[in-house]
Amino acid sequence: MTQEITLTRPDDMHLHVRDGAALNTVVPHTAAEFARALIMPNLKPPVTTAAQALDYKQRILAAVPSGLAFEPLMTLYLTDNLPADEIARAKDAGVVALKLYPAGATTNSDAGVTDIRKTYKTLEAMQRAGLLLLVHGEVTASEIDLFDREAVFIDTQLIPLRRDFPELKVVFEHITTREAAQYVAQSDAFTAASITAHHLLYNRNAIFTGGVRPHFYCLPVLKRETHRLALVQAATSGSAKFFAGTDSAPHPAHLKEHASGCAGCYTAHAAMPMYAEAFDNANALDKLEAFTSFNGADFYGLARNTGTLTLRRERWTPAESFAFGDAQLKPLRSGESLPWRVI
Ligand code: DOR
Ligand code: ZN
């Protein structure tokens, strides 16, 4: 049995760090494991200009503990009216991608896109400039069952989008279904997908075991076991189209343990241990490094990281909660022991 693995330092290709005092809690967790992370722009108000992205990047860097090298990779929030000429400024500022949230799909998505066709001029500019499009792939129509929203998005939104912009690199973010895994596996070289640790480890029963467990509620919501197995198969298949993106999404505990609890699982405190656990459960630790450290960088056209991260099979129990501004942050599996640790 493998007791220790050393990987090239990984990248988290999908991360929420929020702003203000929250940064001081969550940025050190990610910087302790990852060399880089792709920072989601769903602040209030959202990050929609190159200038805002540069300012936000400085605030994140100010929260990196001294002695750790960590690079935030910045994104902009695509809206119905994000002007196409902002794309050149974004490219010059080092912004790597734009995030498409269908309006109303998730946390802070009110400013999101109401109709993808409204963004076509901007998507053309992105395709020319080589900026990636990251999609939250769920339709928002209330008549579509919550558990079907990702599969319906593929047919009604993603397939037409791919047809209209064949050379725009698209990341189907935090995929949760067999349909999405199959779609991405069979697509051309311009489409890839990120997968979270929690969607590899849990199915939807986790939300309801012994009562409603709000810390397992995220969007897209956990699906049934057949879908989890399809995600594990995709992540451990060796296909370069799948890579790590934790979607770690901190919320104050009192707003998750609430009558209308916020969506988002916090995993940054133990992201690589959780990915290692998922790959170990599938007897695929040999596939972990490509998934966490190579495939994302390669798809984004970034140099692979230098330096290493070592994980050991050794039980430990993360803190039950973390101070989070004036509130508390409860991580996923709060108080539970984990089989792998970073050393
Ligand atoms: O669960 C989620 N939380 N899904 C998202 O898409 C957004 C995220 C957040 O920002 O809290
Ligand atoms: Zn997210």
Side-chain angles (χ1 to χ4, degrees):
M1 206 158 49
T2 309
Q3 297 301 326
E4 210 170 277
I5 42 170
T6 295
L7 313 168
T8 301
R9 263 188 99 200
D11 292 314
D12 181 349
M13 288 309 198
H14 185 128
L15 179 68
H16 300 266
V17 293
R18 315 304 185 203
D19 207 348
L23 294 172
N24 297 319
T25 302
V26 303
V27 171
H29 289 165
T30 293
E33 298 185 6
F34 295 90
R36 297 177 291 206
L38 208 80
I39 306 298
M40 290 299 123
N42 62 333
L43 301 182
K44 260 184 173 168
V47 180
T48 54
T49 68
Q52 288 171 336
L54 286 176
D55 287 349
Y56 186 30
K57 181 175 184 175
Q58 291 311 313
R59 298 196 295 279
I60 297 166
L61 285 172
V64 176
S66 59
L68 285 179
F70 175 71
E71 186 187 358
L73 301 168
M74 304 311 292
T75 63
L76 298 189
Y77 187 114
L78 186 64
T79 67
D80 286 351
N81 354 300
L82 192 130
D85 61 7
E86 192 65 23
I87 298 305
R89 286 189 287 276
K91 173 106 181 155
D92 289 346
V95 167
V96 296
L98 280 83
K99 178 75 187 284
L100 186 164
Y101 289 100
T106 187
T107 307
N108 297 349
S109 64
D110 320 347
V113 171
T114 60
D115 179 347
I116 294 185
R117 281 163 301 189
K118 291 189 177 164
T119 69
Y120 268 25
K121 284 238 151 38
T122 306
L123 297 184
E124 272 162 30
M126 288 166 57
Q127 183 170 253
R128 270 198 308 277
L131 292 194
L132 284 79
L133 179 70
L134 318 180
V135 297
H136 182 113
E138 290 191 286
V139 295
T140 54
S142 59
E143 65 274 18
I144 309 288
D145 189 278
L146 181 78
F147 291 92
D148 297 334
R149 289 181 184 177
E150 185 172 282
V152 173
F153 183 89
I154 298 170
D155 293 331
T156 62
Q157 311 287 316
L158 196 52
I159 290 174
L161 177 73
R162 297 282 37 186
R163 199 182 312 123
D164 293 343
F165 295 95
E167 300 201 349
L168 178 64
K169 280 192 182 171
V170 172
V171 182
F172 196 165
E173 295 290 343
H174 42 53
I175 59 168
T176 63
T177 58
R178 182 181 44 213
E179 288 87 345
Q182 277 172 0
Y183 172 79
V184 172
Q186 290 162 8
S187 61
D188 66 20
F190 291 89
T191 308
S194 62
I195 308 181
T196 77
H198 46 287
H199 288 96
L200 293 174
L201 287 169
Y202 295 100
N203 65 37
R204 63 194 190 179
N205 289 344
I207 309 169
F208 305 105
T209 302
V212 177
R213 301 221 279 169
H215 296 284
F216 284 90
Y217 172 57
C218 64
L219 288 170
V221 72
L222 294 170
K223 303 297 191 299
R224 61 167 70 237
E225 179 66 1
T226 48
H227 296 291
R228 188 190 71 81
L229 291 171
L231 299 178
V232 170
Q233 200 283 327
T236 60
S237 65
S239 164
K241 293 173 147 298
F242 300 99
F243 45 79
T246 63
D247 200 17
S248 176
H251 290 277
H254 66 276
L255 295 182
K256 286 195 65 67
E257 298 163 4
H258 188 272
S260 54
C262 298
C265 297
Y266 186 71
T267 55
H269 68 300
M272 286 299 296
M274 289 191 199
Y275 277 122
E277 182 180 348
F279 276 63
D280 189 22
N281 290 345
N283 283 317
L285 282 173
D286 60 319
K287 299 291 198 307
L288 183 62
E289 183 179 41
F291 180 77
T292 59
S293 313
F294 300 157
N295 298 349
D298 294 354
F299 188 74
Y300 276 78
L302 301 168
R304 293 180 181 180
N305 296 316
T306 54
T308 58
L309 181 81
T310 299
L311 293 145
R312 183 186 292 156
R313 187 188 302 279
E314 183 180 302
R315 287 223 160 251
W316 65 297
T317 304
E320 186 112 9
S321 69
F322 302 100
F324 188 57
D326 296 333
Q328 294 291 304
L329 171 62
K330 284 202 193 151
L332 197 76
R333 295 163 86 173
S334 172
E336 242 185 78
S337 80
L338 304 177
W340 286 89
R341 77 180 306 164
V342 171
I343 58 168

